[in-house]
């Protein structure tokens, strides 16, 4: 038996509990999702897992067939109250008294896997898990229970998804594949600058896709410089044309938008280009561009509305500043640009703009890349600084004034020190705000049906099956509280959610050791814990950190700087030097990090890194030869060729 | 005696070979005398990746070490410095020239991304070669400095065995040097093979020993062979704009997954490399204008054909550098077929205190990092009290063809051969790298496949990745295979968006299902 502590996202044990050691792969654990206690009973793993599977099918069948099921214990007063409630409503219930059946204890276990609720009573109404006694009474008081008791077929749809981004679409498609009647509502409220876009959400339209393409454009600028060192000859005059690039990128995005619509149609998912908001339980109002309102009902809902860039709330910000919502389709070159913020969005945008040869300044209130490893963040920043990006640290804008209209125009920015009284004034062509993002959860009628949000952040708290406090309403993607804001995470959790709701799957989305990459001019890939977080969780003395600087082979002949790229792993000394944090700063960091993330899922240790043969000559191989610990204080600079 | 030595090492490996050498009838026996009086604790023959790793590791462990290295000039007279094949005529220069070719592709991409590059775009071989060669020379220098720093004695001599503890070499001035050591590691690597029965092959042909050191562009080139060396060279020559033809007798990339190999070839063909398949050269002649006239036979039709080239590059395989070592004097056994040295799992040859690592050894992967690791582990066993053996399974590697091919573990053929078709599940996908979209590049050959056992939990047997940065993508997954990863674990790994490597963790379609493996959309 292994008992794991309640897992907070991020730390906890590195990797999954199951299958952690090399070579030991236990089939039976498949049913025991990560982070849960493994319950292997005596008859041997495979028999027990078959029996459990059979039991689970029986229970799901019972739930599927019954209008109301109460899993109860005959002596439990809470169970009695619930039974009385239903009988007072004149509703016939299917009651299973766990203390009066042979396999009651196992039923309770399997139930807790299905519902994440370990106690009785455990109530299902029309296939929807309502919860225990308190939740049932709450649902009764709010009218939800009565709604649920109405026939299932009374709803227009099995599932309505609000938001057609990565998470919403993956959930919709999966639910449709599983034979459900699904609707997706997607509506892009134009940005204050009037930018709007098609189906697919942030990633496709104003996120990952255009930013990686612009990053690639900037990398190509670097490649052009490098190419001369590798023998290529052409006219020295090379200029970058913003319009050409943007048009090409927007064309690609349009094809993706189209592809999404097509794939929804193929799967018979109803797509409505309208703004959705809850009006009452199980009912949503959809308002289209022309202001026409239509109402739809569904048995279950998924909220996947994502986030939009935040504004400063200062004079002139919404009038004159742009955000990442506008940048990628800007019809003219932004010119001299001030980027406000130090999020990855800010640094990525600043990075590629500088790569096109623009004059770029980043105004940072406090630290770079909050939440990321700060040593890495500083290295990202200093590389950018060496490559022409100016940083204004500890300043915040207080006013933006238009001096001249135009494409681009001229804006005067007044900023003040976040520490003292100093103010500065500077003129830019473009001011790009990248100070954070706000969840789109406050204007979709959640209060009407009682879905709780974190009032401060606007995020939606969910349990580990992405369920909100209102049982038939789920949420995925960037709006989830304390979950990574990443496309692949949203896709994974949306898909798994649909499979659990409609496919009798138990697999939960695993939010631990999610790898990511920041596409700054020098890319930063990471998986697991930052050094700060690792120290906080495990204490410094329990960690061993291995690190090195390295010089990509391609950089040598290109004459690019040595001792800039950097690799670091953080190991837990008291768990076989298990790798709990992986960090790389270098070209193709994303490509490098992915496989290591998979290895971390399998419980990667330092020993395994040492035992693995490198692929020569690559950047990734540096992790197979890490020797110097940070605690040794030894020099990690590469002597080069002396 | 040998048995005793094995037993002693088996006990903990701390014992050094202390028995008397059989010095009967050996010239210079005075120096190759008894243990304890020998010149060195360890003598390494060959200063390539493996040999240098051994030497440095042993020196670190406080041993007295010498390295002898000598580069026999190629038939075309090319020679180079310390560091062996990888540094001088292998991985390093080839990856750099591959990079030059990739940059050529990026220059073509650039206008799609808004960069206004004026035509014409030309490539200057001399400039590239000089830059690459200068980098290699700086590495040669770096290796010498490293040996010096660690107090490893370095002799630039051609060594041959005198007896089982002694080698002899001739220094520059013609002076003969005898070196004796308790332990000797042979790490002399291999050299390109020349065909033996083709007229003009040796006189007019070059090999990978020469191509990276050419001062002038090779011009229109015929590459003969289907090894990864052949494909890589032809790939970068095409990439920098040269008219390049590959002539191969049978299948490409023997030993690699054949589906992947076909895709590699298909990609090269669609990017301008010409292929003469099923053909074998029979004659090379120099024409009066200096060009080379190559005659070949189409093996299917028996028809003879002819073509002219500026350069003919043989890349038909490599032979171990064992001939001049006088191995029989020491009693070291080699394979009669390959002339490679036979060793056991501890890298010991038929003579217990003589070891061999790297490309010179029979049945080992010919890869730099393998040689390095095997060398380090060997020295740690000899002098560091370790008993860790080298694990030659699941060695990842990457072929740096224009579209790179990275792999680790079993090929599909090998998996099927070992486990049976019905026990193997292959997941695969065609994908389009995001960067290709705007650049308007064709991604027909971008493909990834994962070979697994079919029975749950579907242990990973092999991963094959064809696409940009395949080496970077493959490295981490090699760890996964080492950890005993299952298909399910890889699928539970969240992707990094947008990258090519995320395609690996998104593999859902099995070959068995017959579904279309073409990835659409995001």
């Amino acid at each position: 038996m292994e008992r794991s502590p309640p897992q907070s996202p991020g730390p906890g044990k590195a990797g999954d509990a199951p299958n952690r050691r090399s070579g030991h792969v236990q089939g039976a654990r498949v049913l025991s999702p990560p982070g849960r206690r493994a319950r292997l009973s005596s008859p041997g793993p495979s028999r027990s897992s078959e029996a459990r599977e059979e039991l689970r099918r029986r229970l799901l069948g019972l739930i599927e067939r019954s209008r109301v099921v109460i899993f109860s214990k005959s002596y439990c007063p809470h169970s009695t109250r619930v039974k009385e409630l239903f009988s007072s409503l004149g509703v016939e219930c299917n009651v299973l008294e766990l203390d009066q059946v042979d396999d009651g204890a196992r039923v309770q276990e399997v139930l807790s896997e299905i519902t994440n609720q370990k106690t009785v009573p455990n109530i299902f109404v029309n296939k929807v898990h309502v919860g225990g006694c308190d939740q049932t009474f709450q649902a009764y008081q709010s009218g939800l229970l009565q709604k649920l008791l109405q026939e299932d077929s009374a709803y227009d749809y099995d599932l309505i998804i609000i938001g057609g981004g990565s998470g919403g679409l993956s959930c919709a498609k999966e639910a449709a594949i599983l034979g459900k009647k699904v609707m997706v509502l997607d509506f892009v409220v134009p940005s204050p600058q009037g930018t709007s876009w098609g189906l697919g959400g942030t990633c496709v339209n104003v996120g990952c896709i255009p930013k990686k393409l612009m990053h690639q454009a900037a990398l190509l600028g670097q490649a052009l410089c490098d190419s001369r060192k590798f023998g290529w000859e052409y006219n020295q005059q090379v200029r970058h044309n913003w319009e050409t690039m943007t048009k090409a990128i927007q064309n690609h995005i349009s094809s993706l938008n189209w592809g999404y619509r097509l794939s929804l149609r193929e799967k018979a998912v109803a797509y409505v280009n309208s703004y959705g908001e809850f009006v009452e339980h199980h009912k949503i109002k959809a308002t289209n561009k022309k202001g026409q309102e239509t109402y739809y009902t569904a048995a279950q809902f998924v909220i996947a509305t994502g986030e939009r860039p935040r504004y400063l709330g200062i004079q002139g910000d919404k009038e004159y500043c742009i955000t990442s919502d506008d940048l990628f389709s800007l019809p003219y070159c932004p010119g001299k640009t001030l980027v406000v913020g130090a999020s990855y969005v800010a640094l990525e945008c600043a990075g590629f703009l500088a790569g096109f040869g623009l004059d770029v300044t980043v105004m940072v209130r406090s630290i770079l890349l909050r939440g990321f490893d700060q040593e890495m963040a500083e290295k990202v920043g200093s590389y950018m600084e060496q490559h022409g990006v100016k940083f204004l640290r500890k300043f915040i804008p207080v006013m933006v004034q238009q001096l001249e209209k135009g494409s681009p125009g001229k804006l005067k920015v007044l900023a003040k020190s976040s520490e003292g009284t100093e103010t500065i004034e500077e003129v830019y062509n473009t001011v790009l705000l990248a100070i954070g993002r706000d969840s789109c959860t406050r204007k979709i009628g959640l209060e009407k049906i009682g879905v709780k949000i974190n009032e401060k952040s606007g995020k939606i708290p969910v349990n580990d099956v992405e369920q909100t406090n209102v049982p038939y309403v789920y949420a995925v993607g960037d709006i989830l509280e304390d979950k990574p804001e990443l496309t692949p995470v949203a896709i994974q959790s949306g898909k798994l959610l649909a499979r659990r709701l409609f496919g009798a799957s138990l697999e939960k989305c695993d939010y631990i050791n999610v790898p990511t990459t920041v596409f700054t001019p020098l890319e930063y890939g990471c998986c697991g814990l930052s050094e700060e977080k690792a120290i906080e969780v495990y204490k410094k003395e329990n960690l061993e950190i291995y690190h090195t600087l390295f010089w990509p082979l391609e950089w040598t002949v290109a004459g690019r700087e040595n001792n800039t790229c950097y690799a670091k792993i953080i190991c837990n000394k008291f768990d076989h030097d298990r790798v709990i944090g992986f960090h790389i700063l270098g070209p193709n960091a994303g490509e490098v990090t992915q496989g290591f993330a998979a290895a971390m899922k399998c419980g990667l240790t330092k020993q395994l890194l040492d035992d693995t043969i490198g692929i020569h000559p690559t950047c990734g191989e540096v992790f197979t030869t890490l020797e110097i610990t940070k605690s040794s204080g030894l020099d990690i600079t590469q002597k080069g060729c002396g | 005696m040998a048995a005793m030595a094995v037993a002693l090492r088996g006990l903990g490996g701390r014992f050094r070979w202390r028995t008397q050498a059989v010095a009967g009838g050996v010239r210079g026996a005075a120096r190759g005398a008894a243990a304890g009086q020998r010149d060195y604790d360890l003598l390494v023959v060959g200063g390539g990746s493996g040999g240098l790793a051994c030497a440095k590791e042993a020196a670190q462990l406080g041993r007295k070490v010498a390295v002898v290295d000598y580069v026999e000039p190629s038939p075309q007279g090319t020679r180079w410095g310390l560091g062996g094949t990888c540094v001088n005529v292998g991985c390093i220069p080839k990856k750099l020239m591959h990079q030059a070719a990739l940059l050529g592709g990026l220059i073509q991409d650039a206008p799609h991304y808004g960069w206004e590059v004026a035509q014409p775009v030309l490539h200057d071989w001399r400039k590239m070669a000089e830059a690459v060669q200068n980098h290699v020379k700086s590495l040669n220098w770096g290796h010498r400095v490293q040996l010096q720093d660690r107090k490893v004695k370095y002799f630039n001599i051609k060594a041959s065995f005198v007896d089982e503890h002694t080698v002899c070499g001739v220094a520059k001035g013609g002076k003969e040097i005898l070196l004796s050591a308790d332990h000797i590691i042979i790490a002399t690597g291999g050299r390109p093979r020349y065909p033996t029965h083709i007229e003009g092959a040796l006189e007019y042909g070059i090999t990978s020993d020469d191509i990276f050191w050419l001062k002038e562009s090779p011009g229109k080139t015929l590459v003969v062979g289907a090894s990864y060396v052949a494909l890589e060279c032809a790939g970068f020559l095409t990439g920098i704009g040269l008219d390049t033809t590959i002539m191969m007798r049978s299948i490409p990339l023997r030993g690699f997954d054949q589906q992947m190999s076909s895709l590699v070839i298909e990609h090269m063909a669609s990017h301008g490399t010409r292929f003469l398949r099923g053909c074998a050269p029979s004659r090379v002649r120099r024409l009066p204008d200096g060009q080379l006239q190559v005659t070949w036979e189409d093996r299917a039709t028996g028809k003879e054909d002819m073509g002219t080239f500026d350069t003919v590059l043989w890349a038909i395989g490599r032979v171990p550098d064992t001939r001049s070592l006088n191995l029989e004097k020491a009693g070291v056994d080699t394979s009669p077929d390959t002339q490679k040295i036979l060793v056991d799992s501890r890298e010991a040859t038929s003579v217990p205190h003589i070891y061999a690592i790297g490309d010179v050894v029979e049945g080992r992967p010919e890869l730099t990092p393998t040689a390095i690791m095997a060398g380090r582990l060997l020295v740690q066993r000899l002098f560091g009290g370790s008993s860790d053996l080298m694990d030659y399974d699941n060695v990842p590697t990457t072929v740096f063809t224009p579209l790179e091919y990275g792999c680790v573990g079993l090929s599909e053929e090998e998996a099927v051969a070992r486990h049976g078709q019905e026990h193997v599940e292959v997941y695969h996908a065609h994908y389009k790298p995001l960067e290709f979209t705007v650049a308007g590049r064709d991604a027909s050959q971008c493909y990834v496949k994962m070979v697994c056992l079919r029975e749950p939990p579907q242990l990973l047997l092999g991963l094959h990745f064809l696409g940009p940065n395949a080496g970077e993508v493959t490295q981490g997954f090699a760890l996964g295979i080492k950890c005993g990863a299952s298909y399910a674990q890889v699928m539970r790994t969240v992707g990094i968006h947008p990258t090519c490597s995320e395609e690996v963790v998104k593999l859902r379609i099995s070959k068995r299902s017959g579904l279309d493996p073409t990835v659409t959309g995001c």
Side-chain angles (χ1 to χ4, degrees), chain A residues 16 19 25 212 217 230-233 239-241 260 515 554 588 591 594 601 613-615 617 619-620 627 641-642, chain B residues 95 100 113-116 122-124 138 141 369 376 396 435 457 469 472 475 489 492 494-496 498 500-501 522:
Chain A
D16 296 345
N19 302 354
V25 178
K212 178 98 193 270
F230 281 86
W232 292 98
E233 291 178 344
R239 296 191 38 179
H240 187 259
N241 185 320
Y260 281 125
E554 294 74 12
N588 302 305
E591 306 295 358
Q594 184 72 77
K601 271 265 175 278
I613 293 171
I615 300 179
C619 295
E627 281 182 340
C641 320
Chain B
K95 178 108 193 258
Y113 282 88
W115 294 101
E116 291 167 350
L122 300 168
H123 188 263
D124 181 353
S138 77
W141 173 253
R376 292 184 59 177
E435 293 73 12
N469 301 302
E472 307 294 0
Q475 183 71 73
Q489 281 172 319
R492 272 216 303 276
V494 175
I496 300 178
C500 294
S501 55
C522 251

Side-chain angles (χ1 to χ4, degrees), chain B residues 41-64:
Chain B
D41 294 325
L42 176 67
L43 174 66
V44 180
V45 185
S49 311
L52 292 177
C54 288
K56 286 187 267 181
E57 190 74 13
Q60 206 116 353
L61 291 168
R63 297 301 166 146
K64 198 178 171 200

Side-chain angles (χ1 to χ4, degrees), chain B residues 185-470:
Chain B
I185 296 174
I186 304 169
T188 47
R191 297 292 290 268
R193 167 181 295 140
Y194 269 91
T196 42
H197 301 298
I198 298 174
E199 180 194 325
L202 193 66
E203 288 152 86
Y204 306 123
I206 65 166
T207 67
S208 59
D209 275 359
D210 308 297
I211 182 90
F212 305 111
W213 295 91
L214 293 182
K215 296 267 183 277
E216 301 294 333
S217 167
K220 183 182 175 190
T221 303
L222 174 70
V223 177
V224 183
S227 61
Y228 77 86
V229 178
L231 300 189
E232 288 177 342
C233 290
F236 69 70
L237 292 176
T238 308
I240 58 171
L242 300 180
D243 181 338
T244 309
T245 305
I246 293 185
M247 184 182 294
M248 57 172 87
R249 185 190 283 266
S250 63
I251 61 164
L253 295 176
R254 190 179 297 280
F256 287 89
D257 187 285
Q258 281 303 299
Q259 184 195 8
M260 304 306 287
S261 304
S262 308
L263 288 169
V264 166
I265 295 290
E266 199 180 294
H267 178 267
M268 289 180 71
S270 70
H271 284 74
T273 306
R274 299 172 206 270
F275 283 87
L276 289 168
R277 300 192 67 166
C279 295
S282 51
R283 194 166 62 236
V284 182
R285 278 192 185 145
R286 190 186 282 283
L287 298 174
D289 66 356
Q291 280 203 308
L292 301 175
Q293 185 187 60
V294 181
T295 311
W296 66 83
E297 188 194 277
D298 185 319
R299 285 155 53 91
T301 62
K303 238 183 75 191
E304 216 171 57
D305 210 339
M306 219 181 258
T308 53
F309 302 90
D310 297 310
T311 300
V312 175
L313 176 89
W314 303 108
I316 54 170
R318 297 175 64 83
V319 287
D321 214 354
T322 47
R323 261 168 233 167
S324 60
L325 284 173
N326 270 337
L327 289 176
E328 58 289 349
K329 283 262 176 72
V332 172
D333 289 345
T334 56
S335 154
D337 299 333
T338 62
Q339 273 72 54
K340 288 191 173 188
I341 297 175
L342 301 169
V343 299
D344 62 15
S345 64
R346 299 168 303 116
E347 329 296 354
T349 66
S350 51
V351 183
H353 66 268
I354 300 180
Y355 304 84
I357 55 157
D359 295 1
V360 77
V361 180
E362 175 75 12
R364 301 289 195 226
E366 296 183 7
L367 295 167
T368 287
T370 323
I372 292 175
M373 191 181 285
R376 292 184 59 177
L377 289 172
L378 167 60
V379 168
Q380 282 162 14
R381 289 195 301 273
L382 288 178
F383 304 122
S386 155
S387 56
D388 290 348
L389 293 175
M390 174 72 184
D391 176 6
Y392 287 98
D393 282 339
N394 294 327
V395 174
T397 188
T398 295
V399 181
F400 291 101
T401 35
L403 195 62
E404 300 176 9
Y405 165 36
C407 61
V408 57
L410 303 185
S411 66
E412 190 177 340
E413 294 88 352
E414 184 62 24
V416 167
R418 283 198 204 175
H419 300 281
Q421 185 83 53
E422 67 280 13
H423 297 296
V424 172
E425 192 78 283
V426 177
Y427 294 92
H428 66 158
H430 280 284
Y431 67 97
K432 186 161 197 169
L434 177 63
E435 293 73 12
F436 278 32
T437 57
V438 165
R441 286 202 192 199
D442 175 35
S444 307
Q445 291 87 22
C446 291
Y447 179 72
V448 52
K449 108 175 151 179
M450 199 190 284
V451 182
C452 310
L453 279 177
R454 195 174 175 197
E455 288 78 13
Q458 299 196 298
L459 278 184
L460 224 60
L461 300 174
L463 177 71
H464 303 269
F465 183 93
L466 194 56
N469 301 302

Side-chain angles (χ1 to χ4, degrees), chain A residues 243 330-335 404-410 429-430:
Chain A
E243 289 83 358
L330 204 64
Y332 52 84
C333 178
E404 244 176 62
K405 285 190 171 185
S407 307
K410 272 189 185 157
N429 295 117
T430 299

